[in-house]
Amino acid sequence: MPRSSNPSRPGTPPGRPARAPGVTAPAGAAAAGGRVPPRVRRRAVPALVALSGVLLGLAIPGRGTGWVWPVVFVPLLVALDWTLDAEGAGPASGGWRRPAWRDWGRLGWRALACAWPVGVLMAALSGGWVVNTAHVYGRLPLVLAHGVNLLGYGTLVGLEVFLFLALPFAVGRTRPRWGFALVTLWSAVAQAFTPRFISWSYGQMMYPLAALVQAADVLGSPGLNLLYVPLQLLLFGWLRAGYRPGSAPGNVPRRALAWASAALAIAFAAAFAYGQWRQADVARAEAVGAPVQLVGVQPDFSLRRLASNPDLAISTREASLDDLLADSERGLQALARRPEVPVVVVWPESVYPEPFLYAPRERARVEAWLRGRGVQLVLATTDFAWAPGTAPGTLRPQGIYGAAVHLGPEGRVLGVYHKLTLIPFGETIPFASWFPAWRAALKAWIPQIGEFEAGTRYAVFPVSDRVRLAPMICFDATVFHVARGMADAGANLGLVLANLAWFGRTSVADQFAAFVRFRAIENRIPILLLSQNGRSLLFDARGEVASPVLGQFEAARLALDVRVPATGSVYRRWGPWIERGYALLLAAVLVWGWWGRRPAPPAAEARARAKAA
């Protein structure tokens, strides 16, 4: 038996003070035991944080660098590990006392200090759309527009990294087995249930591997974190085993890392095999699916009248019902029509010049055009809510809605949908009801900010006995529940009526298309993304591009023959229950963590000492 400096703790090396079982070494001691000197660590932490921010920006669709996805957060985890070791940051990992609040506060601040710059750098690389909107349409000088991007959008992304990844990692870092389960499930649950402007899960960064992300039709996009986050943690674990001695607190034995890596490799292989099988299965269903013909009009109308810097607005074509009808006519001429197949013409957001339901002259023209061609029409417009007993148009409306209207071949209105997901600072002013002075000041500065009301229910537009449309409007596609709710209500073909002209020639078109692609995979329905200025394209039920792609800021049309497969999706049917299942598993992990912090009974303590000896 090795010599010990403490007879009550056999096996303690000479000169090292003994500690009670279950109590971790002070953080300074852990740092001193590492193979990287503390001074090098302190200097390397900012570089590691910056590297994760750059990798996150490169992993976002639109730059062609999505292949960096396997290692995006690994530098951040190393930086967190080194930062939380400094000066004893954070509570003990299983000690005999409950940590003081100041310990938890110090841990949270250090985690936030690492996570926030990641969001800022990501915004610097991928937030050009925020800059364009604020500068061209928001009356902000270019310098201030960049500030809004970095300090606004960047802070939002940084807070998400902190809440979804850095904070649970900091809490579970010194208890690696429990922490592994905590971070994995916490990221899935938090990204499924946290209300967000843009619902992008970390697992969606695996999009370059089409077969791998097909599992979203079972797990949902938040559930893809169950694959992605463990990969980040295991890569970090191997790095940690390299730069720390094997006996350092919080280390995982290499053999355990090997077993965990093998299990994760099997999970990835199973997901990949499932994806390949599922793609082939959906392709067979599409071959015999219900037929429908779509004509999507991308008119590229100008938004100069809404711009504070109109010379920077790219499009010059003025909105006109005459041009809209002429473009639709050209689209129908390019279509090889079949009498038994329904035809739907689609007009995207912000192209119809008047509120359709309250402009009788323009409405009569559209109805006559439909009757003469025997086609259906889905268009985006605005709708109003009037006080009970008030005739529409006689008083100021109580509410304004973004709306999609479905008209039949006779010109009759068959359905109306009110947009559920509003764009902050574009269609709504956040916290306006809480802070009226804030609302008044913002409206005085940017009068064109809308104050729309959000819709309250999903809608489905029947086209035929076998084809039912999900009429999403713009940012409805960036959240999980809208497409899922409509598909669960019976929709089997999605439309996304969008206007991305606000964002200029940036990567936002690719980013937005990635959201639409995942809605198609999750619910196993084809979805037509139709933006008034591009890009416009059709995704099939496998999430693959199934049409020509109309470029940004060009007037063009899509004339498509679409087959709608009769296939289902586990996530579409059971999505809310699947997400609740993730929450129950997280609750079990939290109970396990709390129970594991209890002091060991004397007999167990004696056995642990004997085993250590």
Side-chain angles (χ1 to χ4, degrees):
M1 180 180 296
R3 292 175 57 193
S4 172
S5 62
N6 188 338
S8 66
R9 181 76 184 274
T12 304
R16 179 181 298 178
R19 299 186 303 273
V23 179
T24 60
R35 295 191 175 100
V36 182
R39 179 179 299 179
V40 175
R41 294 185 183 195
R42 286 193 297 270
R43 293 177 178 176
V45 163
L48 290 169
V49 169
L51 179 58
S52 262
V54 171
L55 290 173
L56 182 57
L58 294 176
I60 299 300
R63 293 185 172 274
T65 51
W67 47 266
V68 303
W69 68 265
V71 295
V72 167
F73 292 115
V74 176
L76 173 64
L77 298 180
V78 175
L80 282 167
D81 187 44
W82 288 354
T83 300
L84 296 172
D85 271 344
E87 301 176 11
S93 67
W96 293 81
R97 65 178 179 86
R98 188 186 302 274
W101 282 110
R102 63 177 178 271
D103 294 332
W104 288 111
R106 188 182 300 117
L107 178 147
W109 278 112
R110 288 181 179 272
L112 180 60
C114 288
W116 178 72
V118 172
V120 171
L121 286 168
M122 178 270 181
L125 287 174
S126 299
W129 58 278
V130 179
V131 177
N132 191 86
T133 306
H135 179 51
V136 178
Y137 299 95
R139 300 183 64 185
L140 289 181
L142 186 58
V143 173
L144 291 181
H146 279 286
V148 167
N149 177 42
L150 298 178
L151 301 180
Y153 180 50
T155 295
L156 181 64
V157 175
L159 286 174
E160 289 188 359
V161 174
F162 167 70
L163 292 173
F164 300 155
L165 188 65
L167 183 61
F169 173 81
V171 171
R173 178 182 65 101
T174 53
R175 300 174 60 196
R177 290 178 176 82
W178 176 71
F180 184 90
L182 173 69
V183 177
T184 300
L185 286 167
W186 181 276
S187 66
V189 171
Q191 293 195 329
F193 288 99
T194 303
R196 291 181 288 160
F197 167 45
I198 297 175
S199 298
W200 180 263
S201 75
Y202 296 144
Q204 288 176 261
M205 287 191 288
M206 300 186 294
Y207 67 89
L209 294 178
L212 195 57
V213 297
Q214 300 298 316
D217 74 343
V218 176
L219 303 173
S221 290
L224 294 177
N225 285 7
L226 302 180
L227 290 172
Y228 183 77
V229 174
L231 176 64
Q232 305 298 293
L233 295 173
L234 282 174
L235 291 175
F236 159 74
W238 282 108
L239 285 175
R240 194 178 200 271
Y243 65 71
R244 285 184 182 273
S247 60
N251 264 17
V252 179
R254 290 177 180 270
R255 184 171 182 178
L257 284 173
W259 279 108
S261 300
L264 185 62
I266 293 172
F268 267 90
F272 191 84
Y274 168 80
Q276 289 188 314
W277 168 79
R278 193 66 167 125
Q279 285 178 308
D281 181 62
V282 172
R284 288 191 292 270
E286 285 177 331
V288 295
V292 62
Q293 293 183 315
L294 300 177
V295 174
V297 178
Q298 179 180 295
D300 190 30
F301 288 153
S302 175
L303 298 182
R304 289 191 174 204
R305 59 187 175 84
L306 299 175
S308 53
N309 288 308
D311 292 339
L312 299 179
I314 299 172
S315 302
T316 59
R317 190 185 192 194
E318 293 298 325
S320 161
L321 182 57
D322 290 333
D323 288 341
L324 201 53
L325 293 173
D327 287 352
S328 302
E329 195 69 50
R330 295 187 190 99
L332 288 174
Q333 291 171 2
L335 197 67
R337 296 187 60 177
R338 290 174 287 168
E340 72 281 4
V341 177
V343 179
V344 182
V345 177
V346 187
W347 293 347
E349 190 180 32
S350 303
V351 302
Y352 194 78
E354 301 290 341
F356 178 81
L357 299 173
Y358 307 101
R361 185 175 61 181
E362 290 81 1
R363 178 175 175 175
R365 288 187 61 193
V366 173
E367 291 172 347
W369 184 83
L370 290 173
R371 285 192 293 270
R373 287 149 187 83
V375 300
Q376 302 181 44
L377 174 66
V378 175
L379 63 94
T381 183
T382 52
D383 194 11
F384 305 104
W386 307 95
T390 302
T394 58
L395 294 173
R396 184 181 178 88
Q398 286 187 326
I400 305 175
Y401 298 92
V405 178
H406 179 205
L407 291 92
E410 304 82 14
R412 183 166 55 91
V413 174
L414 302 179
V416 177
Y417 161 69
H418 290 161
K419 184 178 181 180
L420 291 167
T421 309
L422 303 180
I423 304 175
F425 304 104
E427 297 169 322
T428 183
I429 300 176
F431 312 113
S433 59
W434 295 0
F435 305 104
W438 151 257
R439 172 198 170 276
L442 203 59
K443 284 290 290 184
W445 177 255
I446 312 174
Q448 60 265 42
I449 287 184
E451 294 185 272
F452 286 71
E453 300 290 331
T456 58
R457 61 179 182 270
Y458 306 121
V460 176
F461 293 166
V463 170
S464 68
D465 292 339
R466 299 173 61 192
V467 178
R468 296 163 64 87
L469 300 178
M472 294 168 280
I473 302 176
C474 205
F475 273 66
D476 281 338
T478 66
V479 295
F480 310 125
H481 69 89
V482 176
R484 185 181 67 199
M486 292 182 179
D488 193 39
N492 54 10
L493 173 61
L495 302 177
V496 177
L497 314 178
N499 173 24
L500 304 181
W502 310 99
F503 310 124
R505 292 189 187 276
T506 63
S507 60
V508 73
D510 298 285
Q511 297 175 31
F512 198 84
F515 286 109
V516 177
R517 178 192 181 198
F518 274 93
R519 302 296 88 84
I521 294 173
E522 290 162 356
N523 300 286
R524 292 303 175 193
I525 61 174
I527 300 181
L528 172 65
L529 166 58
L530 187 65
S531 172
Q532 81 98 353
N533 68 290
R535 294 191 177 96
S536 299
L537 67 158
L538 175 73
F539 288 100
D540 64 20
R542 298 167 294 168
E544 299 298 320
V545 177
S547 75
V549 179
L550 304 185
Q552 285 184 290
F553 298 102
E554 65 175 13
R557 294 149 299 281
L558 288 172
L560 306 172
D561 284 280
V562 181
R563 288 280 182 172
V564 180
T567 185
S569 158
V570 174
Y571 182 72
R572 180 176 73 191
R573 182 66 183 89
W574 302 103
W577 289 102
I578 291 171
E579 291 166 354
R580 291 176 192 134
Y582 298 154
L584 287 176
L585 289 174
L586 176 61
V589 168
L590 293 173
V591 171
W592 167 30
W594 179 259
W595 187 268
R597 295 187 65 85
R598 295 176 52 184
E605 178 184 341
R607 286 195 298 271
R609 288 180 176 176
K611 184 177 180 180

